[in-house]
Amino acid sequence: MTFCFEIRFFYLHIVLNMSFQNSSIEVTEFLIGGFDTIGRPMGVGVVILITYLIATLANIVNIVLIICDKRLHKPMYLLICNLAVVDILNTSSTSPTIIGVLLVGVNTISYVPCLMQMFSLHLAAVMEMFALAVMAFDRLLAVSYPFQYQSYLTNVRTLLLIYLVWIVACSFVAVMPATVLPLPHCSSKLKYIYCDYAAIIRTTCADPTYYFNMISIISFFLLFFTFIFICLSYFWIIVFVKLSSNSDKRKMGSTCLSHFIVVICYYCPLFIRIILTRLGVVLSLDEWNGLMIGSILGPSLVNPFIYCLRTKEMRYKIFQIFKKVQTSQ
């Protein structure tokens, strides 16, 4: 009975989409309208540009340090390197477009680059969840099985795990362009500040409810599955820490604190957006855009500095580089 109803609903959905074909328009580029009400675009653009450059440079430094130092070729640092790649993808998917609108006044984006931006943006969001979940699993293994850890999670297995989560993330995100491409467009103006799924769907002639519900289910599953997995991992880590000696407690706490801060920086803005939406809090377009930009740039800016400052090996490597520079001068 339910299956037949879903078939009829999907058929009705297709018929309604076909009825809009006559009133649809051919879209070759989108107009970005999310910044129409902003007061000081130059000032905001400069702040976003500086933040973007610092975040990108810091993540590149993390990647280069890990790749160039063979002593850092360990599972934990490979996962940090993967997180840095995800952060660069996250910021680079939208920041150039935002900066171009605010500083240069280029408020249009072609159709294909817009779809590519949508895919890369949501891929980075999904990969951030997966990367943090895998890092929590890594810390759980390190704390639970300190002597067997290196045999359980080798570099090869870590790389295979990273490749696997990228493939799974791409599979989930591929649903978005697959559902957008067949739809006719009745508008070429994006409501938000970049090409995300919701903004593009709103430009189509179709009823967005079906598509929003579908993506909401996928997002809810990914968000809470990864968050619950991370929470359970840290629960067991706390249990093992309580059973350990004082010296082991300090070592475990220092090892896991960096990752815990990164998790908070990423998930807090997401849950704030979800809670505000569910409570019916109405935000202005500028406030909503600020929250969206902060949720993208914030974690990408914080993550590399946390791992550089909180990880002993990374701090030592940076100090060695500065020491060599001062000696050469």
Coordinates of all heavy atoms in Angstrom, one line a residue, residues 28 31-32 40 204:
T28 N 21.9 29.9 -18.2 CA 23.3 29.7 -18.5 C 24.2 30.2 -17.4 O 25.3 29.8 -17.3 CB 23.7 30.4 -19.8 OG1 23.3 31.8 -19.7 CG2 22.9 29.8 -21.0
L31 N 22.4 34.4 -10.9 CA 22.7 35.7 -10.3 C 22.7 35.5 -8.8 O 21.7 35.0 -8.2 CB 21.6 36.7 -10.6 CG 21.7 38.1 -10.0 CD1 22.9 38.8 -10.5 CD2 20.4 38.9 -10.3
I32 N 23.8 35.8 -8.1 CA 23.9 35.7 -6.7 C 23.3 36.8 -6.0 O 23.8 38.0 -6.0 CB 25.4 35.5 -6.3 CG1 26.0 34.3 -7.0 CG2 25.5 35.3 -4.8 CD1 27.5 34.2 -6.8
R40 N 28.1 47.1 4.3 CA 29.5 47.4 3.9 C 30.2 46.2 3.2 O 30.9 45.4 3.9 CB 30.3 47.8 5.2 CG 29.8 49.1 5.8 CD 30.6 49.4 7.1 NE 30.1 50.6 7.7 CZ 30.6 51.1 8.9 NH1 31.6 50.4 9.5 NH2 30.1 52.2 9.4
T204 N 14.3 26.3 -9.4 CA 13.6 25.5 -10.4 C 12.1 25.7 -10.3 O 11.6 26.3 -9.4 CB 13.9 24.0 -10.1 OG1 13.3 23.6 -8.8 CG2 15.4 23.7 -10.0

